[in-house]
PDB file of all heavy atoms in Angstrom:
ATOM      1  N   LYS A  43       7.435 -40.829  68.174  1.00 87.00           N
ATOM      2  CA  LYS A  43       6.994 -39.584  67.522  1.00 87.00           C
ATOM      3  C   LYS A  43       6.068 -39.889  66.341  1.00 87.00           C
ATOM      4  O   LYS A  43       5.012 -39.267  66.191  1.00 87.00           O
ATOM      5  CB  LYS A  43       8.210 -38.786  67.041  1.00 87.00           C
ATOM      6  CG  LYS A  43       7.782 -37.442  66.474  1.00 87.00           C
ATOM      7  CD  LYS A  43       8.920 -36.637  65.865  1.00 87.00           C
ATOM      8  CE  LYS A  43       8.346 -35.374  65.254  1.00 87.00           C
ATOM      9  NZ  LYS A  43       9.299 -34.704  64.386  1.00 87.00           N
ATOM     10  N   ASN A  92      -0.853 -36.861  32.810  1.00 90.00           N
ATOM     11  CA  ASN A  92      -2.049 -36.135  32.376  1.00 90.00           C
ATOM     12  C   ASN A  92      -3.287 -37.016  32.218  1.00 90.00           C
ATOM     13  O   ASN A  92      -3.945 -37.004  31.190  1.00 90.00           O
ATOM     14  CB  ASN A  92      -1.779 -35.401  31.052  1.00 90.00           C
ATOM     15  CG  ASN A  92      -0.767 -34.286  31.245  1.00 90.00           C
ATOM     16  OD1 ASN A  92      -0.236 -34.125  32.344  1.00 90.00           O
ATOM     17  ND2 ASN A  92      -0.517 -33.520  30.206  1.00 90.00           N
ATOM     18  N   ARG A  95      -9.909 -35.601  34.161  1.00 95.00           N
ATOM     19  CA  ARG A  95     -11.347 -35.761  34.128  1.00 95.00           C
ATOM     20  C   ARG A  95     -11.916 -34.427  33.640  1.00 95.00           C
ATOM     21  O   ARG A  95     -11.389 -33.368  33.965  1.00 95.00           O
ATOM     22  CB  ARG A  95     -11.807 -36.052  35.563  1.00 95.00           C
ATOM     23  CG  ARG A  95     -13.276 -36.089  35.819  1.00 95.00           C
ATOM     24  CD  ARG A  95     -13.518 -36.506  37.290  1.00 95.00           C
ATOM     25  NE  ARG A  95     -12.921 -35.571  38.245  1.00 95.00           N
ATOM     26  CZ  ARG A  95     -13.424 -34.373  38.519  1.00 95.00           C
ATOM     27  NH1 ARG A  95     -14.522 -33.954  37.958  1.00 95.00           N
ATOM     28  NH2 ARG A  95     -12.819 -33.576  39.385  1.00 95.00           N
ATOM     29  N   ASP A  97     -14.541 -31.272  33.548  1.00 96.00           N
ATOM     30  CA  ASP A  97     -15.189 -30.551  34.653  1.00 96.00           C
ATOM     31  C   ASP A  97     -16.716 -30.589  34.505  1.00 96.00           C
ATOM     32  O   ASP A  97     -17.347 -29.569  34.247  1.00 96.00           O
ATOM     33  CB  ASP A  97     -14.662 -29.109  34.666  1.00 96.00           C
ATOM     34  CG  ASP A  97     -15.121 -28.328  35.885  1.00 96.00           C
ATOM     35  OD1 ASP A  97     -15.418 -28.952  36.911  1.00 96.00           O
ATOM     36  OD2 ASP A  97     -15.172 -27.086  35.798  1.00 96.00           O
ATOM     37  N   ARG A 105     -27.589 -38.134  51.094  1.00 94.00           N
ATOM     38  CA  ARG A 105     -26.908 -37.916  52.362  1.00 94.00           C
ATOM     39  C   ARG A 105     -26.963 -39.149  53.262  1.00 94.00           C
ATOM     40  O   ARG A 105     -26.003 -39.425  53.980  1.00 94.00           O
ATOM     41  CB  ARG A 105     -27.495 -36.698  53.060  1.00 94.00           C
ATOM     42  CG  ARG A 105     -26.765 -36.351  54.320  1.00 94.00           C
ATOM     43  CD  ARG A 105     -26.934 -34.921  54.686  1.00 94.00           C
ATOM     44  NE  ARG A 105     -28.283 -34.663  55.158  1.00 94.00           N
ATOM     45  CZ  ARG A 105     -28.746 -33.451  55.423  1.00 94.00           C
ATOM     46  NH1 ARG A 105     -27.956 -32.405  55.255  1.00 94.00           N
ATOM     47  NH2 ARG A 105     -29.972 -33.276  55.844  1.00 94.00           N
ATOM     48  N   GLY A 118     -27.679 -34.134  59.919  1.00 94.00           N
ATOM     49  CA  GLY A 118     -27.023 -34.192  58.614  1.00 94.00           C
ATOM     50  C   GLY A 118     -25.520 -33.993  58.668  1.00 94.00           C
ATOM     51  O   GLY A 118     -24.861 -34.001  57.635  1.00 94.00           O
ATOM     52  N   PHE A 120     -21.637 -35.137  60.215  1.00 94.00           N
ATOM     53  CA  PHE A 120     -20.839 -36.104  60.951  1.00 94.00           C
ATOM     54  C   PHE A 120     -20.582 -35.464  62.312  1.00 94.00           C
ATOM     55  O   PHE A 120     -20.324 -34.264  62.392  1.00 94.00           O
ATOM     56  CB  PHE A 120     -19.478 -36.360  60.271  1.00 94.00           C
ATOM     57  CG  PHE A 120     -19.583 -37.093  58.963  1.00 94.00           C
ATOM     58  CD1 PHE A 120     -19.781 -36.398  57.777  1.00 94.00           C
ATOM     59  CD2 PHE A 120     -19.465 -38.477  58.915  1.00 94.00           C
ATOM     60  CE1 PHE A 120     -19.869 -37.073  56.570  1.00 94.00           C
ATOM     61  CE2 PHE A 120     -19.549 -39.158  57.700  1.00 94.00           C
ATOM     62  CZ  PHE A 120     -19.749 -38.464  56.531  1.00 94.00           C
TER      63      PHE A 120
ATOM     64  N   THR B 244     -16.788 -28.509  39.315  1.00 97.00           N
ATOM     65  CA  THR B 244     -16.691 -29.709  40.154  1.00 97.00           C
ATOM     66  C   THR B 244     -15.436 -29.660  41.025  1.00 97.00           C
ATOM     67  O   THR B 244     -14.535 -28.851  40.822  1.00 97.00           O
ATOM     68  CB  THR B 244     -16.631 -30.998  39.298  1.00 97.00           C
ATOM     69  OG1 THR B 244     -15.422 -30.990  38.534  1.00 97.00           O
ATOM     70  CG2 THR B 244     -17.815 -31.069  38.351  1.00 97.00           C
ATOM     71  N   LYS B 245     -15.399 -30.570  41.980  1.00 97.00           N
ATOM     72  CA  LYS B 245     -14.286 -30.657  42.916  1.00 97.00           C
ATOM     73  C   LYS B 245     -13.002 -31.103  42.200  1.00 97.00           C
ATOM     74  O   LYS B 245     -13.032 -31.470  41.036  1.00 97.00           O
ATOM     75  CB  LYS B 245     -14.644 -31.612  44.056  1.00 97.00           C
ATOM     76  CG  LYS B 245     -15.799 -31.092  44.928  1.00 97.00           C
ATOM     77  CD  LYS B 245     -16.028 -31.960  46.150  1.00 97.00           C
ATOM     78  CE  LYS B 245     -17.140 -31.357  47.024  1.00 97.00           C
ATOM     79  NZ  LYS B 245     -17.356 -32.166  48.258  1.00 97.00           N
ATOM     80  N   PRO B 258     -25.784 -29.499  54.580  1.00 95.00           N
ATOM     81  CA  PRO B 258     -24.520 -30.176  54.889  1.00 95.00           C
ATOM     82  C   PRO B 258     -24.455 -31.591  54.306  1.00 95.00           C
ATOM     83  O   PRO B 258     -25.456 -32.315  54.316  1.00 95.00           O
ATOM     84  CB  PRO B 258     -24.492 -30.204  56.428  1.00 95.00           C
ATOM     85  CG  PRO B 258     -25.856 -29.816  56.873  1.00 95.00           C
ATOM     86  CD  PRO B 258     -26.441 -28.992  55.785  1.00 95.00           C
ATOM     87  N   ASN B 259     -23.284 -31.925  53.790  1.00 96.00           N
ATOM     88  CA  ASN B 259     -22.990 -33.280  53.291  1.00 96.00           C
ATOM     89  C   ASN B 259     -23.899 -33.734  52.141  1.00 96.00           C
ATOM     90  O   ASN B 259     -24.177 -34.919  51.990  1.00 96.00           O
ATOM     91  CB  ASN B 259     -23.022 -34.296  54.448  1.00 96.00           C
ATOM     92  CG  ASN B 259     -21.933 -33.999  55.470  1.00 96.00           C
ATOM     93  OD1 ASN B 259     -20.762 -33.910  55.095  1.00 96.00           O
ATOM     94  ND2 ASN B 259     -22.299 -33.816  56.708  1.00 96.00           N
ATOM     95  N   LEU B 276      -7.999 -36.350  38.642  1.00 96.00           N
ATOM     96  CA  LEU B 276      -7.766 -34.901  38.613  1.00 96.00           C
ATOM     97  C   LEU B 276      -8.627 -34.199  37.576  1.00 96.00           C
ATOM     98  O   LEU B 276      -8.718 -34.619  36.422  1.00 96.00           O
ATOM     99  CB  LEU B 276      -6.269 -34.648  38.338  1.00 96.00           C
ATOM    100  CG  LEU B 276      -5.780 -33.208  38.329  1.00 96.00           C
ATOM    101  CD1 LEU B 276      -6.087 -32.505  39.644  1.00 96.00           C
ATOM    102  CD2 LEU B 276      -4.272 -33.162  38.068  1.00 96.00           C
ATOM    103  N   VAL B 361     -19.310 -31.916  61.389  1.00 95.00           N
ATOM    104  CA  VAL B 361     -18.483 -31.855  60.195  1.00 95.00           C
ATOM    105  C   VAL B 361     -19.336 -31.900  58.924  1.00 95.00           C
ATOM    106  O   VAL B 361     -20.192 -32.774  58.768  1.00 95.00           O
ATOM    107  CB  VAL B 361     -17.475 -33.025  60.151  1.00 95.00           C
ATOM    108  CG1 VAL B 361     -16.431 -32.767  59.075  1.00 95.00           C
ATOM    109  CG2 VAL B 361     -16.813 -33.232  61.498  1.00 95.00           C
ATOM    110  N   ASP B 488       5.271 -31.240  60.945  1.00 80.00           N
ATOM    111  CA  ASP B 488       5.849 -32.490  60.485  1.00 80.00           C
ATOM    112  C   ASP B 488       4.809 -33.240  59.656  1.00 80.00           C
ATOM    113  O   ASP B 488       4.126 -34.130  60.138  1.00 80.00           O
ATOM    114  CB  ASP B 488       6.277 -33.330  61.697  1.00 80.00           C
ATOM    115  CG  ASP B 488       7.265 -34.404  61.288  1.00 80.00           C
ATOM    116  OD1 ASP B 488       7.333 -34.702  60.072  1.00 80.00           O
ATOM    117  OD2 ASP B 488       7.953 -34.940  62.160  1.00 80.00           O
ATOM    118  N   LEU B 501       2.063 -32.995  33.125  1.00 93.00           N
ATOM    119  CA  LEU B 501       3.022 -32.417  32.180  1.00 93.00           C
ATOM    120  C   LEU B 501       2.333 -31.272  31.435  1.00 93.00           C
ATOM    121  O   LEU B 501       1.287 -31.477  30.816  1.00 93.00           O
ATOM    122  CB  LEU B 501       3.503 -33.463  31.175  1.00 93.00           C
ATOM    123  CG  LEU B 501       4.056 -34.777  31.740  1.00 93.00           C
ATOM    124  CD1 LEU B 501       4.574 -35.667  30.611  1.00 93.00           C
ATOM    125  CD2 LEU B 501       5.173 -34.523  32.750  1.00 93.00           C
TER     126      LEU B 501
END
Side-chain angles (χ1 to χ4, degrees):
Chain A
K43 185 185 176 193
N92 293 4
R95 173 176 61 75
D97 188 25
R105 185 156 72 187
F120 291 87
Chain B
T244 65
K245 295 187 177 182
N259 296 306
L276 183 57
V361 193
D488 198 342
L501 307 184

